[in-house]
Amino acid sequence: MQLLEEKIKREGQVLGDSILKVDQFLTHQVDSELMQAIGQTFAEACANKNVTKVVTIEASGIAPALYTAQALGVPMVFAKKAKNITMNEGILTTEVYSFTKQVTSQVSIASKFLSQEDRVLIIDDFLANGQAALGLIDLIEQAGASVVGVGIVIEKSFQDGRTLLEEAGHRVLSLARILRFENSEVVFAPADL
């Protein structure tokens, strides 16, 4: 997605050899026009998949997932990283390791929001080692629902997330694929969409 790649080049910051900071438009402050374009792109790519729900994990995946759900005309559900006192029955849980935060979190979705009839599109902000997506897949499968694809805003293609997801039989759709960081610049690989 050319618009996204241009935004990354203009506003993203390369930190070291594996971190891209995009807090100007995705992970802290959100560019709503860009998110709307992202949502429309994912929706068009999955128009024939009969998606009934869009699922993400809090927090930075919520904006692109919400715009995707809106474009598809379906609900968006997000996995919570901390259960609150109102989540007291029928809870699906799994553990997810965050590459960026270097912590393992227990994430949860109330089972009433997913059913065996659901065809789920996962949307997330980043794909690095694939653990967030694999955790969401686990939650969706616990509910008996099926995953129709994994939509990623920014993929770090130099890490093994895509390989893990594809080896597990899941379709990955990335809007921007980073091949490597070179002299504090982003080098892109061809994107899926």
Side-chain angles (χ1 to χ4, degrees):
M1 180 178 191
Q2 190 65 34
L3 179 65
L4 176 60
E5 289 183 8
E6 290 170 5
K7 192 82 160 172
I8 291 168
K9 287 178 185 176
R10 194 170 52 253
E11 297 180 23
Q13 285 182 281
V14 175
L15 305 176
D17 60 356
S18 62
I19 304 292
L20 176 65
K21 185 176 180 180
V22 289
D23 63 348
Q24 289 287 331
F25 60 91
L26 178 61
T27 60
H28 198 71
Q29 175 173 270
V30 175
D31 180 327
S32 60
E33 288 183 16
L34 177 62
M35 292 306 117
Q36 186 172 26
I38 285 170
Q40 189 62 45
T41 302
F42 282 132
E44 289 170 4
C46 297
N48 65 346
K49 298 294 182 185
N50 300 317
V51 175
T52 61
K53 298 269 172 74
V54 173
V55 170
T56 192
I57 192 166
E58 66 178 354
S60 299
I62 292 175
L66 182 59
Y67 280 99
T68 302
Q70 181 183 39
L72 288 167
V74 301
M76 185 273 291
V77 178
F78 64 91
K80 294 187 174 209
K81 291 182 182 172
K83 285 194 316 188
N84 58 39
I85 60 172
T86 64
M87 291 182 73
N88 55 9
E89 59 185 63
I91 306 301
L92 308 169
T93 61
T94 194
E95 289 190 348
V96 172
Y97 176 75
S98 169
F99 174 82
T100 308
K101 295 178 183 148
Q102 305 278 305
V103 297
T104 300
S105 300
Q106 187 175 51
V107 298
S108 306
I109 292 177
S111 60
K112 67 183 177 182
F113 296 121
L114 292 172
S115 73
Q116 293 178 354
E117 291 78 35
D118 280 320
R119 296 178 51 79
V120 179
L121 173 61
I122 293 171
I123 299 290
D124 207 1
D125 59 340
F126 273 93
L127 175 60
N129 61 17
Q131 297 308 300
L134 289 171
L136 291 174
I137 290 165
D138 180 41
L139 291 174
I140 292 160
E141 290 177 346
Q142 285 180 46
S146 59
V147 176
V148 299
V150 180
I152 301 297
V153 178
I154 302 170
E155 175 188 332
K156 296 178 187 176
S157 295
F158 55 87
Q159 292 182 276
D160 63 355
R162 175 181 282 266
T163 301
L164 291 173
L165 292 171
E166 289 179 340
E167 286 176 353
H170 298 286
R171 178 180 179 217
V172 179
L173 303 168
S174 296
L175 299 182
R177 295 183 68 194
I178 298 171
L179 187 59
R180 67 183 175 278
F181 299 125
E182 193 171 280
N183 301 322
S184 297
E185 297 292 324
V186 178
V187 177
F188 292 100
D192 298 315
L193 302 175

